[in-house]
Amino acid sequence: MIKIQLIRSTQILGVIFAAVAVVACSTFSGSTIPQLKAATGASLPNCSALAGQIKLDYTKIDSAALVAAGDLKLGGNDVIEHCLVKGRMHERKGADGRDYAIGFEMRLPIVWNGRFFYQGNGGLDGAVVPALGALGGGPLTGALMQGFAVISSDAGHTGPQTPFFGSEPQARLDYGYQAVEKLTPMAKQLIQTAYGKGPDRSYIGGCSNGGRHAMVAASRLGDQYDGYLVGAPGYRLPYAALAQIWGAQKWAALATPGATVKNPMNPNGTLPDLASGFTAQERLAVSGAISKKCDALDGITDGMVQSTQACQAVFDIQKDVPTCTGERNGACLTNAQKNVIADVFGGAKTNTGQRIYANFPYDTGVAGANWGTWKFIDSLIRDPLAISTIFSVPPKPLSPLQENVTERLAMFTSTNDTYRESGWSLMTPPQESKPSNMGTLRARGAKMVLYHGVSDAIFSADDTRQWMDRLVQENVNPGSDFARYFPIPGMNHCSGGLATDQFDLLTPLVQWVEQGIAPQAVIASVRGVGNAGGVNTELPTNWSATRTRPLCAYPSVATYNGSGSTEDAKNFSCK
């Protein structure tokens, strides 16, 4: 789930853009893909008058108000002067008797760059978060700061109904994909009214469920957006959630009998202490074993495993982590623990051996707190609620540690007279297993940039990598001329972990779409002490607080050049 953070600092914008600059690019020649023209800007003449001027179908504008430069801060910098428009679409009374609407806000820069950005939000949506277009673990800049008109929405339901909106047929469809379909043309018309011209170029992006929104839009709305920024895409969210339930049952077999922890969603409730089966200290030991086996594969021992695929070939949980000969002490694993860890990283399966979801790559970020939260807490709270109320037909409660995952799997593709579209269909890109439907996007000159934390515990980075591999196999991405994928070693879900998790991939995407400059390496930095994007407290103490690395387009790997500071990205190349 992506979280937007407003932070105060005195850093200047020029320094920030330098920190996230594209450090190496390549342009492919001989391509038949059309080159899209660059956007041209305009200015907003009158913000306060907009509320009365906007007359759009199925849309109610609640307010339009000027926000002065500096009233908001992002990454320690003043957010530019803009017009904040709030409204609702498709107000209705739901089949469950509740009031529904697609709530949204748009932030329109007074000095506009001619571009539109749809901000896909995370989790189960349900709230209109600030439309700043900020992505990355430590947002130093975002689409609004760069002059985009930005929209954010609640995807058709509000917080008190989350996640039980899933029992209302239209609300689950809006959450799945229809809110984006409805908001996109409305937003473009609103921009036309505000500036006297529509957007020249349109982009959509987000992380987690926001990444899913972007990937679904690429499949369903291929004519509406020119650039897709896809972060940690939960594009197979129902299956990933079910894999979490399957995993929880595995962890429970290792957990201390009767041990409990507080339920973060219920102050008076408790949950089984699944983490007692694979403790933070034990995860740190596994992280260290992975580092010991794989760290030097990229040419330098620096606490970061850049050669992810090579690491999978050489690391063995059974052989490379000490086996406990007595009591567990945090530095070893029992045979039972090793077997469960190997099963979970190998990917969830039904009791008949049918694969439910992808495997997960071994990576040092297994030590991250975010990794443990997703595996041991959210698998007992978030995932069961989403599965039971949104992804299943009919909705049916579940008890995660007793659930028959094989029977539940069949409910994802079921329909009935009330729910005429399955949970699988409404959540995933059509024909997700056949990326050839991306060919239309490629043919019109659109581009995709994907990124994923290698140590993401809920959505597998291997799932994203395998989707990219299918693009190549089906000749949809020859020479990486349509889509590029940037794995982020050590990073957990959307941010955090032992990683350089602060970066800007929107600027390179725009350059690719509008100038034909394909990104090969993008600077990323850690969030050490004093960082305006918020400090990552999990960073090793022997790392520089300003460490940088190139994020390399898959399959290239950030490799040390052999000389110079190992804290500086300029001494690494993508090979």
mmCIF file with all atom_site columns, all heavy atoms in Angstrom, residues 8-25:
data_model
loop_
_atom_site.group_PDB
_atom_site.id
_atom_site.type_symbol
_atom_site.label_atom_id
_atom_site.label_alt_id
_atom_site.label_comp_id
_atom_site.label_asym_id
_atom_site.label_entity_id
_atom_site.label_seq_id
_atom_site.pdbx_PDB_ins_code
_atom_site.Cartn_x
_atom_site.Cartn_y
_atom_site.Cartn_z
_atom_site.occupancy
_atom_site.B_iso_or_equiv
_atom_site.pdbx_formal_charge
_atom_site.auth_seq_id
_atom_site.auth_comp_id
_atom_site.auth_asym_id
_atom_site.auth_atom_id
_atom_site.pdbx_PDB_model_num
ATOM 1   N N   . ARG A 1 8  ? 8.630  18.373 5.903   1.00 0.00 ? 8  ARG A N   1
ATOM 2   C CA  . ARG A 1 8  ? 9.210  19.706 5.815   1.00 0.00 ? 8  ARG A CA  1
ATOM 3   C C   . ARG A 1 8  ? 10.728 19.630 5.807   1.00 0.00 ? 8  ARG A C   1
ATOM 4   O O   . ARG A 1 8  ? 11.333 18.863 6.511   1.00 0.00 ? 8  ARG A O   1
ATOM 5   C CB  . ARG A 1 8  ? 8.738  20.567 6.986   1.00 0.00 ? 8  ARG A CB  1
ATOM 6   C CG  . ARG A 1 8  ? 7.230  20.826 6.942   1.00 0.00 ? 8  ARG A CG  1
ATOM 7   C CD  . ARG A 1 8  ? 6.799  21.783 8.039   1.00 0.00 ? 8  ARG A CD  1
ATOM 8   N NE  . ARG A 1 8  ? 5.377  22.029 7.943   1.00 0.00 ? 8  ARG A NE  1
ATOM 9   C CZ  . ARG A 1 8  ? 4.825  22.966 7.189   1.00 0.00 ? 8  ARG A CZ  1
ATOM 10  N NH1 . ARG A 1 8  ? 5.590  23.734 6.458   1.00 0.00 ? 8  ARG A NH1 1
ATOM 11  N NH2 . ARG A 1 8  ? 3.521  23.123 7.157   1.00 0.00 ? 8  ARG A NH2 1
ATOM 12  N N   . SER A 1 9  ? 11.322 20.463 4.969   1.00 0.00 ? 9  SER A N   1
ATOM 13  C CA  . SER A 1 9  ? 12.785 20.548 4.894   1.00 0.00 ? 9  SER A CA  1
ATOM 14  C C   . SER A 1 9  ? 13.129 21.805 4.129   1.00 0.00 ? 9  SER A C   1
ATOM 15  O O   . SER A 1 9  ? 12.269 22.487 3.593   1.00 0.00 ? 9  SER A O   1
ATOM 16  C CB  . SER A 1 9  ? 13.342 19.296 4.204   1.00 0.00 ? 9  SER A CB  1
ATOM 17  O OG  . SER A 1 9  ? 14.730 19.424 4.051   1.00 0.00 ? 9  SER A OG  1
ATOM 18  N N   . THR A 1 10 ? 14.431 22.105 4.025   1.00 0.00 ? 10 THR A N   1
ATOM 19  C CA  . THR A 1 10 ? 14.858 23.299 3.288   1.00 0.00 ? 10 THR A CA  1
ATOM 20  C C   . THR A 1 10 ? 15.558 22.950 1.990   1.00 0.00 ? 10 THR A C   1
ATOM 21  O O   . THR A 1 10 ? 16.145 23.808 1.351   1.00 0.00 ? 10 THR A O   1
ATOM 22  C CB  . THR A 1 10 ? 15.817 24.130 4.150   1.00 0.00 ? 10 THR A CB  1
ATOM 23  O OG1 . THR A 1 10 ? 16.923 23.310 4.534   1.00 0.00 ? 10 THR A OG1 1
ATOM 24  C CG2 . THR A 1 10 ? 15.126 24.646 5.401   1.00 0.00 ? 10 THR A CG2 1
ATOM 25  N N   . GLN A 1 11 ? 15.476 21.663 1.589   1.00 0.00 ? 11 GLN A N   1
ATOM 26  C CA  . GLN A 1 11 ? 16.133 21.291 0.334   1.00 0.00 ? 11 GLN A CA  1
ATOM 27  C C   . GLN A 1 11 ? 15.497 22.029 -0.840  1.00 0.00 ? 11 GLN A C   1
ATOM 28  O O   . GLN A 1 11 ? 14.299 22.293 -0.848  1.00 0.00 ? 11 GLN A O   1
ATOM 29  C CB  . GLN A 1 11 ? 16.003 19.788 0.094   1.00 0.00 ? 11 GLN A CB  1
ATOM 30  C CG  . GLN A 1 11 ? 16.938 18.960 0.961   1.00 0.00 ? 11 GLN A CG  1
ATOM 31  C CD  . GLN A 1 11 ? 16.799 17.504 0.595   1.00 0.00 ? 11 GLN A CD  1
ATOM 32  O OE1 . GLN A 1 11 ? 15.826 16.882 0.934   1.00 0.00 ? 11 GLN A OE1 1
ATOM 33  N NE2 . GLN A 1 11 ? 17.769 16.986 -0.109  1.00 0.00 ? 11 GLN A NE2 1
ATOM 34  N N   . ILE A 1 12 ? 16.291 22.296 -1.833  1.00 0.00 ? 12 ILE A N   1
ATOM 35  C CA  . ILE A 1 12 ? 15.770 22.985 -3.006  1.00 0.00 ? 12 ILE A CA  1
ATOM 36  C C   . ILE A 1 12 ? 15.443 21.970 -4.084  1.00 0.00 ? 12 ILE A C   1
ATOM 37  O O   . ILE A 1 12 ? 16.009 20.894 -4.150  1.00 0.00 ? 12 ILE A O   1
ATOM 38  C CB  . ILE A 1 12 ? 16.769 24.028 -3.549  1.00 0.00 ? 12 ILE A CB  1
ATOM 39  C CG1 . ILE A 1 12 ? 18.104 23.357 -3.927  1.00 0.00 ? 12 ILE A CG1 1
ATOM 40  C CG2 . ILE A 1 12 ? 17.015 25.113 -2.522  1.00 0.00 ? 12 ILE A CG2 1
ATOM 41  C CD1 . ILE A 1 12 ? 19.042 24.298 -4.640  1.00 0.00 ? 12 ILE A CD1 1
ATOM 42  N N   . LEU A 1 13 ? 14.489 22.335 -4.941  1.00 0.00 ? 13 LEU A N   1
ATOM 43  C CA  . LEU A 1 13 ? 13.996 21.402 -5.948  1.00 0.00 ? 13 LEU A CA  1
ATOM 44  C C   . LEU A 1 13 ? 15.072 20.965 -6.922  1.00 0.00 ? 13 LEU A C   1
ATOM 45  O O   . LEU A 1 13 ? 15.102 19.822 -7.365  1.00 0.00 ? 13 LEU A O   1
ATOM 46  C CB  . LEU A 1 13 ? 12.831 22.058 -6.712  1.00 0.00 ? 13 LEU A CB  1
ATOM 47  C CG  . LEU A 1 13 ? 11.982 21.133 -7.590  1.00 0.00 ? 13 LEU A CG  1
ATOM 48  C CD1 . LEU A 1 13 ? 11.398 20.003 -6.743  1.00 0.00 ? 13 LEU A CD1 1
ATOM 49  C CD2 . LEU A 1 13 ? 10.886 21.921 -8.263  1.00 0.00 ? 13 LEU A CD2 1
ATOM 50  N N   . GLY A 1 14 ? 15.998 21.871 -7.243  1.00 0.00 ? 14 GLY A N   1
ATOM 51  C CA  . GLY A 1 14 ? 17.049 21.490 -8.182  1.00 0.00 ? 14 GLY A CA  1
ATOM 52  C C   . GLY A 1 14 ? 17.903 20.355 -7.672  1.00 0.00 ? 14 GLY A C   1
ATOM 53  O O   . GLY A 1 14 ? 18.301 19.467 -8.420  1.00 0.00 ? 14 GLY A O   1
ATOM 54  N N   . VAL A 1 15 ? 18.184 20.358 -6.364  1.00 0.00 ? 15 VAL A N   1
ATOM 55  C CA  . VAL A 1 15 ? 18.971 19.278 -5.774  1.00 0.00 ? 15 VAL A CA  1
ATOM 56  C C   . VAL A 1 15 ? 18.212 17.967 -5.881  1.00 0.00 ? 15 VAL A C   1
ATOM 57  O O   . VAL A 1 15 ? 18.773 16.918 -6.161  1.00 0.00 ? 15 VAL A O   1
ATOM 58  C CB  . VAL A 1 15 ? 19.290 19.601 -4.303  1.00 0.00 ? 15 VAL A CB  1
ATOM 59  C CG1 . VAL A 1 15 ? 19.946 18.415 -3.609  1.00 0.00 ? 15 VAL A CG1 1
ATOM 60  C CG2 . VAL A 1 15 ? 20.204 20.819 -4.221  1.00 0.00 ? 15 VAL A CG2 1
ATOM 61  N N   . ILE A 1 16 ? 16.904 18.049 -5.671  1.00 0.00 ? 16 ILE A N   1
ATOM 62  C CA  . ILE A 1 16 ? 16.087 16.837 -5.711  1.00 0.00 ? 16 ILE A CA  1
ATOM 63  C C   . ILE A 1 16 ? 16.085 16.222 -7.090  1.00 0.00 ? 16 ILE A C   1
ATOM 64  O O   . ILE A 1 16 ? 16.266 15.020 -7.261  1.00 0.00 ? 16 ILE A O   1
ATOM 65  C CB  . ILE A 1 16 ? 14.652 17.177 -5.274  1.00 0.00 ? 16 ILE A CB  1
ATOM 66  C CG1 . ILE A 1 16 ? 14.663 17.462 -3.777  1.00 0.00 ? 16 ILE A CG1 1
ATOM 67  C CG2 . ILE A 1 16 ? 13.696 16.053 -5.575  1.00 0.00 ? 16 ILE A CG2 1
ATOM 68  C CD1 . ILE A 1 16 ? 13.415 18.101 -3.287  1.00 0.00 ? 16 ILE A CD1 1
ATOM 69  N N   . PHE A 1 17 ? 15.887 17.044 -8.109  1.00 0.00 ? 17 PHE A N   1
ATOM 70  C CA  . PHE A 1 17 ? 15.884 16.487 -9.459  1.00 0.00 ? 17 PHE A CA  1
ATOM 71  C C   . PHE A 1 17 ? 17.238 15.884 -9.802  1.00 0.00 ? 17 PHE A C   1
ATOM 72  O O   . PHE A 1 17 ? 17.324 14.886 -10.505 1.00 0.00 ? 17 PHE A O   1
ATOM 73  C CB  . PHE A 1 17 ? 15.495 17.561 -10.473 1.00 0.00 ? 17 PHE A CB  1
ATOM 74  C CG  . PHE A 1 17 ? 14.015 17.725 -10.594 1.00 0.00 ? 17 PHE A CG  1
ATOM 75  C CD1 . PHE A 1 17 ? 13.381 18.842 -10.062 1.00 0.00 ? 17 PHE A CD1 1
ATOM 76  C CD2 . PHE A 1 17 ? 13.253 16.752 -11.202 1.00 0.00 ? 17 PHE A CD2 1
ATOM 77  C CE1 . PHE A 1 17 ? 12.020 18.984 -10.160 1.00 0.00 ? 17 PHE A CE1 1
ATOM 78  C CE2 . PHE A 1 17 ? 11.880 16.894 -11.301 1.00 0.00 ? 17 PHE A CE2 1
ATOM 79  C CZ  . PHE A 1 17 ? 11.259 18.011 -10.778 1.00 0.00 ? 17 PHE A CZ  1
ATOM 80  N N   . ALA A 1 18 ? 18.310 16.476 -9.302  1.00 0.00 ? 18 ALA A N   1
ATOM 81  C CA  . ALA A 1 18 ? 19.633 15.894 -9.536  1.00 0.00 ? 18 ALA A CA  1
ATOM 82  C C   . ALA A 1 18 ? 19.743 14.540 -8.865  1.00 0.00 ? 18 ALA A C   1
ATOM 83  O O   . ALA A 1 18 ? 20.370 13.614 -9.381  1.00 0.00 ? 18 ALA A O   1
ATOM 84  C CB  . ALA A 1 18 ? 20.723 16.838 -9.013  1.00 0.00 ? 18 ALA A CB  1
ATOM 85  N N   . ALA A 1 19 ? 19.112 14.402 -7.687  1.00 0.00 ? 19 ALA A N   1
ATOM 86  C CA  . ALA A 1 19 ? 19.225 13.153 -6.932  1.00 0.00 ? 19 ALA A CA  1
ATOM 87  C C   . ALA A 1 19 ? 18.506 12.015 -7.605  1.00 0.00 ? 19 ALA A C   1
ATOM 88  O O   . ALA A 1 19 ? 18.811 10.857 -7.368  1.00 0.00 ? 19 ALA A O   1
ATOM 89  C CB  . ALA A 1 19 ? 18.657 13.346 -5.523  1.00 0.00 ? 19 ALA A CB  1
ATOM 90  N N   . VAL A 1 20 ? 17.506 12.320 -8.442  1.00 0.00 ? 20 VAL A N   1
ATOM 91  C CA  . VAL A 1 20 ? 16.760 11.253 -9.086  1.00 0.00 ? 20 VAL A CA  1
ATOM 92  C C   . VAL A 1 20 ? 16.955 11.263 -10.600 1.00 0.00 ? 20 VAL A C   1
ATOM 93  O O   . VAL A 1 20 ? 16.167 10.714 -11.348 1.00 0.00 ? 20 VAL A O   1
ATOM 94  C CB  . VAL A 1 20 ? 15.248 11.375 -8.757  1.00 0.00 ? 20 VAL A CB  1
ATOM 95  C CG1 . VAL A 1 20 ? 15.018 11.167 -7.285  1.00 0.00 ? 20 VAL A CG1 1
ATOM 96  C CG2 . VAL A 1 20 ? 14.700 12.737 -9.181  1.00 0.00 ? 20 VAL A CG2 1
ATOM 97  N N   . ALA A 1 21 ? 18.023 11.879 -11.057 1.00 0.00 ? 21 ALA A N   1
ATOM 98  C CA  . ALA A 1 21 ? 18.255 12.015 -12.493 1.00 0.00 ? 21 ALA A CA  1
ATOM 99  C C   . ALA A 1 21 ? 18.520 10.669 -13.149 1.00 0.00 ? 21 ALA A C   1
ATOM 100 O O   . ALA A 1 21 ? 19.006 9.748  -12.551 1.00 0.00 ? 21 ALA A O   1
ATOM 101 C CB  . ALA A 1 21 ? 19.462 12.927 -12.737 1.00 0.00 ? 21 ALA A CB  1
ATOM 102 N N   . VAL A 1 22 ? 18.172 10.593 -14.397 1.00 0.00 ? 22 VAL A N   1
ATOM 103 C CA  . VAL A 1 22 ? 18.499 9.401  -15.175 1.00 0.00 ? 22 VAL A CA  1
ATOM 104 C C   . VAL A 1 22 ? 19.988 9.445  -15.478 1.00 0.00 ? 22 VAL A C   1
ATOM 105 O O   . VAL A 1 22 ? 20.485 10.416 -16.035 1.00 0.00 ? 22 VAL A O   1
ATOM 106 C CB  . VAL A 1 22 ? 17.708 9.390  -16.502 1.00 0.00 ? 22 VAL A CB  1
ATOM 107 C CG1 . VAL A 1 22 ? 18.062 8.167  -17.318 1.00 0.00 ? 22 VAL A CG1 1
ATOM 108 C CG2 . VAL A 1 22 ? 16.212 9.423  -16.218 1.00 0.00 ? 22 VAL A CG2 1
ATOM 109 N N   . VAL A 1 23 ? 20.722 8.389  -15.084 1.00 0.00 ? 23 VAL A N   1
ATOM 110 C CA  . VAL A 1 23 ? 22.162 8.427  -15.239 1.00 0.00 ? 23 VAL A CA  1
ATOM 111 C C   . VAL A 1 23 ? 22.651 7.739  -16.497 1.00 0.00 ? 23 VAL A C   1
ATOM 112 O O   . VAL A 1 23 ? 23.801 7.888  -16.883 1.00 0.00 ? 23 VAL A O   1
ATOM 113 C CB  . VAL A 1 23 ? 22.851 7.809  -14.006 1.00 0.00 ? 23 VAL A CB  1
ATOM 114 C CG1 . VAL A 1 23 ? 22.540 8.615  -12.767 1.00 0.00 ? 23 VAL A CG1 1
ATOM 115 C CG2 . VAL A 1 23 ? 22.420 6.358  -13.799 1.00 0.00 ? 23 VAL A CG2 1
ATOM 116 N N   . ALA A 1 24 ? 21.803 6.958  -17.133 1.00 0.00 ? 24 ALA A N   1
ATOM 117 C CA  . ALA A 1 24 ? 22.225 6.318  -18.368 1.00 0.00 ? 24 ALA A CA  1
ATOM 118 C C   . ALA A 1 24 ? 20.995 5.982  -19.177 1.00 0.00 ? 24 ALA A C   1
ATOM 119 O O   . ALA A 1 24 ? 20.034 5.480  -18.646 1.00 0.00 ? 24 ALA A O   1
ATOM 120 C CB  . ALA A 1 24 ? 23.032 5.051  -18.092 1.00 0.00 ? 24 ALA A CB  1
ATOM 121 N N   . CYS A 1 25 ? 21.013 6.277  -20.439 1.00 0.00 ? 25 CYS A N   1
ATOM 122 C CA  . CYS A 1 25 ? 19.865 6.014  -21.294 1.00 0.00 ? 25 CYS A CA  1
ATOM 123 C C   . CYS A 1 25 ? 20.344 5.403  -22.596 1.00 0.00 ? 25 CYS A C   1
ATOM 124 O O   . CYS A 1 25 ? 21.495 5.521  -22.979 1.00 0.00 ? 25 CYS A O   1
ATOM 125 C CB  . CYS A 1 25 ? 19.106 7.311  -21.610 1.00 0.00 ? 25 CYS A CB  1
ATOM 126 S SG  . CYS A 1 25 ? 18.482 8.155  -20.141 1.00 0.00 ? 25 CYS A SG  1
#
